Amino acid sequence: MSILLHACCGPCAMYPVDMLLNEGRKLDLFWYNPNIHPEFEWNRRLENLHKCADHYGVKLIEGQDECMQEYWEEKTYLAEFGSRCEMCYDIRLDEVARYAAQNGYESFCTTLLVSPYQQHELIVKTAKSKAEQYGVNFEYYDFRPGFRQGQNMARDIGLYRQKYCGCIFSLEESDFKEKILKSFEDQA
Ligand code: SF4
């Protein structure tokens, strides 16, 4: 039986995958990140997650094929959720739990739990709620102690390491916005 490990990007997947494999666990990676904007960035993060999966020889399942710019622009989260991040976690973990339940996985987890910059407790709360809703186990791991190690591992194998969380708001707020926008132009 294996664990479905939702992955937000290659660098954040490095330490959790390494750790779980060292524990002798079987896992599949699962890409479902419609929050990421713009499409160029969405493709770039997926491409680098493939490099991580290839590095470890694990399967990567692509659970969706588009970013959701219009959804963000309509700001529907204001009506339904307390914050944009609450909506973002809900949308992603809903699909992870649903897929895990419907495809016979023992449990699910997410690499979002490696980042000290994410709202860890909110992610856990959302994942537990989705696990209950779909009747599948959420396996909690606090991967955060391995965050720096994972980033170094990503650098060592040449992965792209992004400088904003993923949505259009985080891009606008990034201290590196101009540099990021230039990277889009340079590679267009
Ligand atoms: S800041 Fe990150 S977690 Fe929050 S909404 Fe944007 S992409 Fe999602």
Side-chain angles (χ1 to χ4, degrees):
M1 295 287 279
S2 58
I3 180 168
L4 185 68
L5 181 64
H6 167 253
C8 55
C9 63
C12 284
M14 291 296 289
Y15 178 79
V17 170
D18 196 88
M19 193 193 106
L20 290 168
L21 292 179
N22 279 329
E23 285 186 356
R25 300 295 305 274
K26 288 184 184 170
L27 67 93
D28 289 340
L29 284 168
F30 188 67
W31 169 259
Y32 187 78
N33 300 291
N35 53 308
I36 296 169
H37 170 89
E39 194 163 2
F40 176 84
E41 180 72 11
W42 187 90
N43 282 318
R44 178 157 65 173
R45 293 194 194 187
L46 175 57
E47 183 185 318
N48 279 270
L49 181 58
H50 271 290
K51 289 180 187 171
C52 167
D54 292 346
H55 179 76
Y56 285 107
V58 298
K59 182 176 172 186
L60 169 58
I61 299 161
E62 294 185 23
Q64 49 92 217
D65 57 10
E66 62 181 4
C67 56
M68 49 190 297
Q69 182 178 353
E70 289 172 12
Y71 198 86
W72 288 121
E73 287 176 347
E74 289 168 8
K75 296 183 174 58
T76 53
Y77 68 87
L78 288 176
E80 296 175 48
F81 297 93
S83 70
R84 71 180 196 236
C85 297
E86 189 176 335
M87 180 184 102
C88 189
Y89 299 146
D90 191 282
I91 288 170
R92 290 192 274 177
L93 293 172
D94 187 87
E95 179 58 13
V96 181
R98 185 203 66 76
Y99 190 94
Q102 293 184 2
N103 290 276
Y105 285 90
E106 178 186 5
S107 59
F108 73 91
C109 190
T110 175
T111 64
L112 290 166
L113 295 171
V114 78
S115 173
Y117 304 111
Q118 296 287 342
Q119 296 179 46
H120 197 89
E121 298 310 322
L122 182 56
I123 294 166
V124 174
K125 182 180 163 200
T126 307
K128 284 182 176 173
S129 157
K130 298 299 176 183
E132 194 175 329
Q133 181 182 340
Y134 289 101
V136 63
N137 292 325
F138 162 59
E139 203 163 348
Y140 173 66
Y141 280 93
D142 185 354
F143 296 121
R144 288 175 295 184
F147 178 71
R148 286 289 157 216
Q149 185 183 337
Q151 293 294 312
N152 290 337
M153 292 155 78
R155 186 198 57 215
D156 290 345
I157 66 164
L159 295 191
Y160 157 69
R161 288 174 295 154
Q162 64 272 3
K163 291 189 166 22
Y164 69 107
C165 192
C167 65
I168 50 177
F169 302 103
S170 58
L171 173 56
E172 285 297 321
E173 293 162 0
S174 174
D175 292 340
F176 304 96
K177 182 183 168 190
E178 295 311 316
K179 199 173 170 184
I180 296 164
L181 293 177
K182 185 158 186 333
S183 79
F184 298 152
E185 288 168 15
D186 290 347
Q187 298 184 52

